[in-house]
Amino acid sequence: MSKKAFQDYYPDDVSHCYGCGRLNEHGLRIKSYWDGEVTITKFIPRPYHTASPGYVYGGLIASLIDCHSTGTAAAAAYRAEGRSMDTKPPFRYVTASLKVDYLKPTPMGVPLEVKGKVKEIKGRKVIVEATVTAEGKVCAKGEVVAVQMPEHMKPRVGVHKIEFTPNE
Amino acid sequence: MSKKAFQDYYPDDVSHCYGCGRLNEHGLRIKSYWDGEVTITKFIPRPYHTASPGYVYGGLIASLIDCHSTGTAAAAAYRAEGRSMDTKPPFRYVTASLKVDYLKPTPMGVPLEVKGKVKEIKGRKVIVEATVTAEGKVCAKGEVVAVQMPEHMKPRVGVHKIEFTPNE
């Protein structure tokens, strides 16, 4: 797909998300698109994204559902207002709650397809249902309650000293 | 802490988890321990684990809760049988469902403390409640339904060709 993804429309100062920020060079860079009335992203887990060997790590699946759903929330909010994603003011959602049911082990080495469906839009909140499919089988399903990013979560670079510290 | 973590007792063939496997050199290597009747892990997010700048990525928080809870489930199962984690047969749990409520933005640059509490042990299932604390404040809470790893999820290396494929 060559068209711009939802995440490509996020303003620069909120485009550093590890899951989907185009400006996070270490991140997953999840890209979401409309596919009719649902949304879709495709992702090939990296070889180290394993649970047990041969299967995909559940935390990665949660991350895919998370970022695809907040992207879906933003896209749906623009649609609900009848305007395109390059118009202002911008919509940017964060996750209030995330629920994932792991239905079966997700195989490694194949593309995963995450689909999102808007269940509800109300005020600053959008609820998104998601499925994760591999080899034609739904391996996980999720639900995300996304809310518009609150003012106090706007970037505050420099408040904390951020340095890399190994975890051992 | 110099003593062995729960995850250090996992058998080699199920120690490749991206979140907590000691044999996954690219992973997060989460380490969990008993602290009385609750379990604890500490983790310092890497600088690129951002949501918006200054705050921790929700998918990472989900991952911490996920692996700490499955580790807690294993440790609790040994305790329930009155045996230590270096005895056989080994317990290894996977996640059936994961729920995370993000209560407030989690600050970057400080250690996160994840605590787990066993809510229920029944048959092959353990339900764990978790909290994620930063700077003394609970930023997220979660609940994980963990089940003993099913036979069909045991390693099946080589079934799929696993190569690194960039996602763009």
Side-chain angles (χ1 to χ4, degrees), chain B residues 9 11 18-19 31 35 41 62 68 72 87 96 99 108 122 127 138 141 150 153:
Chain B
Y9 291 102
Y18 180 74
K31 303 285 187 190
D35 181 18
T41 189
H68 181 63
T72 296
T87 58
K99 172 84 162 66
M108 286 289 287
K122 194 174 180 182
I127 301 176
V138 176
K141 61 179 185 174
M153 204 181 163

Side-chain angles (χ1 to χ4, degrees), chain B residues 22-37:
Chain B
R22 69 178 184 285
L23 302 179
N24 190 328
E25 63 182 318
H26 298 284
L28 305 173
R29 290 182 168 165
I30 295 163
K31 303 285 187 190
S32 304
Y33 305 87
W34 282 113
D35 181 18
E37 292 305 305

Side-chain angles (χ1 to χ4, degrees), chain A:
Chain A
M1 289 179 263
S2 59
K3 62 184 176 181
K4 284 174 78 173
F6 301 161
Q7 292 85 1
D8 294 328
Y9 292 102
Y10 291 166
D12 285 356
D13 64 347
V14 286
S15 286
H16 295 81
C17 175
Y18 180 73
C20 63
R22 68 177 184 283
L23 302 179
N24 190 328
E25 63 182 317
H26 299 284
L28 305 173
R29 290 183 169 165
I30 294 163
K31 302 286 187 190
S32 304
Y33 305 87
W34 282 112
D35 182 17
E37 291 305 304
V38 300
T39 59
I40 190 167
T41 189
K42 291 184 183 181
F43 190 88
I44 300 177
R46 295 169 192 163
Y48 48 81
H49 285 143
T50 45
S52 59
Y55 296 105
V56 179
Y57 175 50
L60 178 75
I61 291 168
S63 297
L64 297 177
I65 289 173
D66 184 9
C67 285
H68 181 63
S69 296
T70 50
T72 296
Y78 284 101
R79 255 200 189 182
E81 291 196 354
R83 58 187 177 95
S84 64
M85 294 190 75
D86 57 358
T87 58
K88 295 188 188 281
F91 280 120
R92 182 76 167 89
Y93 283 73
V94 294
T95 305
S97 79
L98 166 71
K99 172 83 161 65
V100 182
D101 290 309
Y102 298 93
L103 306 177
K104 57 183 69 180
T106 302
M108 287 289 286
V110 297
L112 305 184
E113 190 175 88
V114 186
K115 286 195 173 174
K117 188 181 167 189
V118 176
K119 185 180 177 186
E120 184 184 320
I121 304 186
K122 195 173 181 183
R124 296 173 64 86
K125 186 172 81 173
V126 181
I127 301 176
V128 178
E129 295 173 326
T131 56
V132 180
T133 302
E135 300 179 323
K137 291 176 187 159
V138 176
C139 299
K141 61 178 185 176
E143 184 168 298
V144 167
V145 178
V147 293
Q148 282 185 48
M149 185 180 281
E151 279 305 313
H152 64 269
M153 204 182 162
K154 294 286 162 67
R156 51 164 207 166
V157 181
V159 173
H160 281 94
K161 190 178 174 191
I162 299 172
E163 285 179 355
F164 178 71
T165 310
N167 281 292
E168 285 184 285

Side-chain angles (χ1 to χ4, degrees), chain B residues 79-130:
Chain B
R79 257 199 187 181
E81 291 195 353
R83 58 187 177 94
S84 64
M85 293 190 76
D86 56 359
T87 58
K88 294 190 188 288
F91 280 119
R92 182 76 167 89
Y93 282 72
V94 294
T95 305
S97 80
L98 166 71
K99 172 84 162 66
V100 182
D101 290 310
Y102 298 93
L103 305 177
K104 56 183 71 180
T106 303
M108 286 289 287
V110 298
L112 305 183
E113 190 175 87
V114 186
K115 286 194 174 175
K117 188 180 166 190
V118 176
K119 184 180 177 185
E120 184 185 321
I121 303 187
K122 194 174 180 182
R124 296 173 63 86
K125 187 173 80 173
V126 181
I127 301 176
V128 178
E129 294 173 327

